């Protein structure tokens, strides 16, 4: 399989290479792609160095799969050019997610909707993926009426500049700011930009992408997305109003039986999901499962996952694995 990784030098791109190697994705030829200024430089994959290609050369090479994590503008411009030469694009930007002609895929939930005709496939936003993976079995079993989500997001979701800002602040140094405020000893209630309605793009992604992936526009969703000085993964407090009565033990059983989900939940032993545990792992970790006694048929839970892995790179690679396993590329 000839595979291009577009944005290979970025934070997510580097994790994509790591995950492709860990999962021994059947690559016969790797084509790393990055910005013009990086062409000719090297990236490492399976302890070997690979030269970074230009976008034009990568398109001309006609890879079967191109996994993008290079920002929306690059995806909008170049994903169609790859598709034109027969490449199937798996794109981690927000460019195609809400396009009605494109599929928004979490493999464990809706990969079965994919066909050979899907030449540009959207990878959902990180904070959406970890949440919907846990919500999907609950929606199937009980129907979800409403979700109230508060996120506590890793600075790795913003990128290298944010990590450097925190490191500088730890060291008491001045440096380039990824955020309008210090992130050290702070919590910034603004992930991405604000829209007219007072919500941030990140919060609206949770609303719109959840409804698209679960294929149910009737699910009421509201979210508050907060950036905190953490690097291991995104954490989310989720209040779930179900369509009918439930038993807590059944919720745990359903989640335990869900591929890609690990229930970590025992207050007696202080066992619950945390970014320091989730970092570097591919699962979505769910804990603090407990009835919301303030409202009928409602349950609270805490969901943590490494946003660079299942929230981005691993989910994208799993889409690629599904395509290969089902003869769609
Ligand atoms: C963030 N989900 O965390 C967004 C993009 N990675 O900033």
């Amino acid at each position: 399989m000839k595979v291009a990784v577009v944005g290979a030098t970025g934070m997510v791109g580097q994790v994509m290479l790591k995950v492709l190697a860990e999962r021994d994705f059947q690559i016969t030829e790797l084509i790393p792609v990055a910005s013009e200024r990086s062409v000719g430089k090297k990236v490492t994959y399976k302890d070997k160095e690979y030269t970074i290609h230009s976008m034009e050369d990568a398109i001309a090479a006609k890879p079967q799969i191109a996994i993008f994590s290079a920002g929306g503008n690059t995806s909008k411009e170049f994903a169609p050019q790859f598709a034109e030469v027969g490449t199937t694009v798996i794109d981690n930007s927000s460019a195609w997610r809400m396009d009605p002609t494109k599929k928004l895929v979490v493999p464990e939930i809706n990969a079965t909707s994919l066909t050979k005709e899907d030449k540009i496939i959207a990878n959902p936003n990180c904070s959406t993926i970890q949440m919907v993976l846990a919500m999907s079995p609950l929606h199937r079993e009980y129907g979800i009426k409403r979700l109230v989500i508060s996120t506590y997001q890793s600075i790795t979701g913003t990128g290298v500049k944010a990590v450097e800002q925190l490191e500088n602040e730890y060291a008491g140094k001045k440096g380039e700011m990824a955020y309008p405020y210090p992130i050290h000893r702070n919590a910034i209630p603004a992930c991405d930009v604000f829209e007219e309605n007072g919500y941030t793009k990140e919060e609206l992604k949770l609303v719109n992408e959840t409804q698209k992936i679960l294929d149910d526009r009737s699910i009421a969703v509201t979210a508050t997305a907060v950036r905190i000085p953490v690097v291991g993964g995104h954490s989310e407090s989720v209040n779930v109003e179900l369509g009918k009565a439930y038993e807590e033990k059944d919720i745990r059983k359903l989640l335990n039986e869900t591929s890609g989900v690990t229930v970590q939940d025992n207050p007696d032993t202080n066992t619950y999901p945390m970014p320091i545990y989730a970092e570097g792992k591919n699962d979505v970790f769910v804990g603090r499962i407990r009835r919301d006694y303030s409202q009928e048929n409602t349950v609270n839970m805490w969901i943590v996952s490494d946003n660079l892995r299942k929230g981005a790179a691993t989910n994208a690679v799993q889409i690629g694995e599904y395509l290969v396993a089902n003869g769609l590329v």
Side-chain angles (χ1 to χ4, degrees):
M1 191 68 55
K2 204 185 284 187
V3 176
V5 176
V6 179
T9 57
M11 246 181 166
V12 172
Q14 286 290 297
V15 177
M16 279 176 178
L17 292 174
K18 208 181 285 183
V19 171
L20 285 164
E22 284 170 6
R23 300 174 73 94
D24 199 21
F25 198 89
Q26 292 312 300
I27 296 176
T28 52
E29 184 182 340
L30 176 71
I31 306 171
V33 185
S35 61
E36 276 308 312
R37 66 175 182 280
S38 299
V39 172
K41 290 181 184 170
K42 306 282 187 187
V43 291
T44 302
Y45 170 73
K46 285 192 171 179
D47 299 325
K48 266 180 66 183
E49 285 204 325
Y50 288 78
T51 303
I52 291 174
H53 292 60
S54 70
M55 197 71 83
E56 291 66 28
D57 287 353
I59 293 167
K62 297 184 181 179
Q64 282 91 343
I65 293 177
I67 309 182
F68 271 61
S69 190
N73 294 335
T74 300
S75 294
K76 274 289 186 196
E77 182 177 357
F78 293 106
Q81 295 183 43
F82 273 100
E84 273 296 302
V85 300
T87 301
T88 298
V89 173
I90 302 166
D91 176 43
N92 190 48
S93 83
S94 58
W96 306 99
R97 290 177 184 155
M98 298 316 294
D99 180 323
T101 68
K102 302 293 183 288
K103 302 226 171 103
L104 183 61
V105 176
V106 177
E108 298 89 337
I109 300 174
N110 59 357
T112 51
S113 66
L114 291 170
T115 70
K116 277 182 183 287
E117 281 61 54
D118 293 306
K119 301 311 281 181
I120 297 177
I121 302 164
N123 206 43
N125 190 39
C126 40
S127 48
T128 305
I129 292 173
Q130 66 185 70
M131 194 266 298
V132 287
L133 186 57
M135 293 303 110
S136 177
L138 305 186
H139 189 49
R140 275 198 309 275
E141 182 66 24
Y142 301 98
I144 292 177
K145 293 175 70 176
R146 184 172 186 242
L147 294 170
V148 181
I149 306 152
S150 297
T151 74
Y152 308 77
Q153 299 188 209
S154 164
I155 57 173
T156 55
T158 307
V160 174
K161 209 164 90 173
V163 176
E164 286 168 356
Q165 176 183 332
L166 181 59
E167 284 165 356
N168 283 335
E169 289 167 358
Y170 277 156
K173 286 188 213 160
K174 286 263 178 250
E176 211 182 341
M177 298 284 278
Y179 303 114
Y181 301 101
I183 187 65
H184 180 35
R185 300 158 66 114
N186 199 12
I188 301 177
C191 295
D192 208 330
V193 297
F194 282 94
E195 299 282 18
E196 288 292 303
N197 63 7
Y199 283 81
T200 61
K201 279 191 172 183
E202 188 77 4
E203 290 158 353
L204 295 176
K205 287 173 186 174
L206 279 159
V207 178
N208 299 320
E209 292 179 22
T210 298
Q211 293 174 345
K212 181 169 179 179
I213 295 163
L214 297 182
D215 193 22
D216 188 339
R217 299 278 170 204
S218 75
I219 302 174
V221 185
T222 191
T224 301
V226 182
R227 192 74 65 189
I228 60 170
V230 153
V231 291
H234 290 345
S235 303
E236 298 172 342
S237 169
V238 185
N239 177 271
V240 192
E241 182 185 358
L242 300 171
K244 55 187 178 185
Y246 71 90
E247 292 294 328
E248 209 179 291
K249 64 178 174 49
D250 296 336
I251 298 269
R252 288 172 195 285
K253 183 170 179 294
L254 266 177
L255 290 169
N256 264 316
E257 290 168 354
T258 301
S259 171
V261 172
T262 296
V263 174
Q264 255 186 327
D265 196 21
N266 183 349
D268 295 343
T269 58
N270 287 313
T271 302
Y272 29 69
M274 296 180 285
I276 57 172
Y277 179 84
E279 185 173 12
K281 298 183 177 76
N282 294 313
D283 263 18
V284 169
F285 299 90
V286 183
R288 299 299 322 277
I289 301 165
R290 62 202 189 284
R291 185 173 296 279
D292 174 356
Y293 291 101
S294 71
Q295 179 171 276
E296 200 183 20
N297 303 335
T298 304
V299 60
N300 285 313
M301 57 187 74
W302 177 253
I303 302 172
V304 178
S305 191
D306 184 332
N307 54 293
L308 297 179
R309 281 183 170 261
K310 184 56 182 174
T314 307
N315 196 73
V317 171
Q318 287 171 328
I319 293 172
E321 288 170 347
Y322 181 89
L323 295 170
V324 172
N326 291 275
L328 301 181
V329 287

